[in-house]
Amino acid sequence: MKVAQLVKKAKRGNKEALLQLILSEKDAYYKLTYTYMGNTHDAMDAMEDMIVRLYEKIDQLKNEEAFYSWSRTILVNSCKSLLQKRKKVVLLDDLQRTDEREAGQAMTKDPYISSDQQMDIQALFIHINQHQKEAIQLKYLHDLDYQTIADMTNVSIGTVKSRVFQGLKKLRDYYKGES
């Protein structure tokens, strides 16, 4: 069944249609969430939060064909919200050590990247800021286009392109200096 038809059914209160929409992209949602959260437990919490928000706000979606980009934006916002709550509870120094360790673990979950590559990528990500890291991960690990990333992160497409370009430039410069 087409996405637009399922969204229309979900708007009319059909929970099965909404569930079908979510389940058809569950792996992509999980991978995206895991990238932000760094561990399974928090990733599942963020996905649960996204599902509740989708159910509550599905009637606000104007373009039925845009369901997946809209839902990914809600998912990213759920992740960021949960991360903000976590920052308030955990000391910043502890959080940074945990995030670095969990980020390394998150990369090992991808069967297409060898452990040596994962360690190299994580070591390089330390040298760029969080916004650049986020943009590069969404672009290259999740294969999202610039417009989708801009929509998800609530910045202009130019800002996304700049973050990717500047982040990659820093990584290239660092890598050249290291060899």
Side-chain angles (χ1 to χ4, degrees):
M1 190 176 282
K2 292 171 104 177
V3 172
Q5 292 172 325
L6 287 171
V7 171
K8 286 177 184 175
K9 284 184 176 185
K11 282 183 172 183
R12 290 191 300 264
N14 185 328
K15 293 176 188 175
E16 283 297 316
L18 182 61
L19 184 62
Q20 200 173 348
L21 286 163
I22 293 167
L23 290 177
S24 70
E25 290 291 316
K26 72 180 185 312
D27 292 338
Y29 287 137
Y30 181 77
K31 186 176 177 186
L32 178 62
T33 308
Y34 199 95
T35 299
Y36 276 92
M37 304 309 291
N39 67 63
T40 302
H41 178 72
D42 290 342
M44 295 307 288
D45 286 347
M47 286 183 62
E48 182 179 309
D49 187 48
M50 175 205 66
I51 292 168
V52 169
R53 288 183 188 185
L54 289 177
Y55 180 73
E56 293 172 347
K57 298 179 185 232
I58 188 76
D59 58 321
Q60 296 175 9
L61 179 62
K62 304 269 188 268
N63 178 3
E64 285 84 9
E65 295 292 332
F67 175 80
Y68 289 113
S69 63
W70 177 72
S71 62
R72 282 193 301 263
T73 301
I74 289 175
L75 182 59
V76 167
N77 289 336
S78 293
C79 290
K80 289 180 177 182
S81 174
L82 289 172
L83 288 170
Q84 284 291 64
K85 288 177 188 174
R86 188 191 320 167
K87 278 185 182 178
K88 291 178 183 173
V89 177
V90 180
L91 294 173
L92 183 60
D93 193 37
D94 292 341
L95 179 65
Q96 288 172 337
R97 280 195 296 263
T98 301
D99 282 349
E100 288 168 9
R101 185 177 64 251
E102 289 177 346
Q105 292 170 352
M107 293 297 290
T108 63
K109 299 293 183 186
D110 190 341
Y112 301 109
I113 301 176
S114 74
S115 59
D116 288 340
Q117 288 174 318
Q118 292 160 7
M119 290 172 31
D120 290 343
I121 290 169
Q122 285 308 312
L124 288 173
F125 277 159
I126 292 170
H127 302 286
I128 59 176
N129 70 42
Q130 189 62 36
H131 293 298
Q132 292 166 339
K133 177 182 173 183
E134 177 185 36
I136 290 169
Q137 285 180 319
L138 292 173
K139 176 72 178 147
Y140 296 105
L141 296 180
H142 296 282
D143 198 31
L144 299 175
D145 62 81
Y146 290 117
Q147 186 60 54
T148 301
I149 297 168
D151 294 342
M152 290 170 61
T153 57
N154 295 319
V155 297
S156 72
I157 193 168
T159 300
V160 172
K161 288 179 179 181
S162 176
R163 288 175 179 174
V164 170
F165 177 79
Q166 293 298 324
L168 291 175
K169 184 178 182 314
K170 281 183 188 177
L171 292 175
R172 272 192 302 273
D173 291 347
Y174 177 78
Y175 193 71
K176 284 179 187 173
E178 193 176 78
S179 23

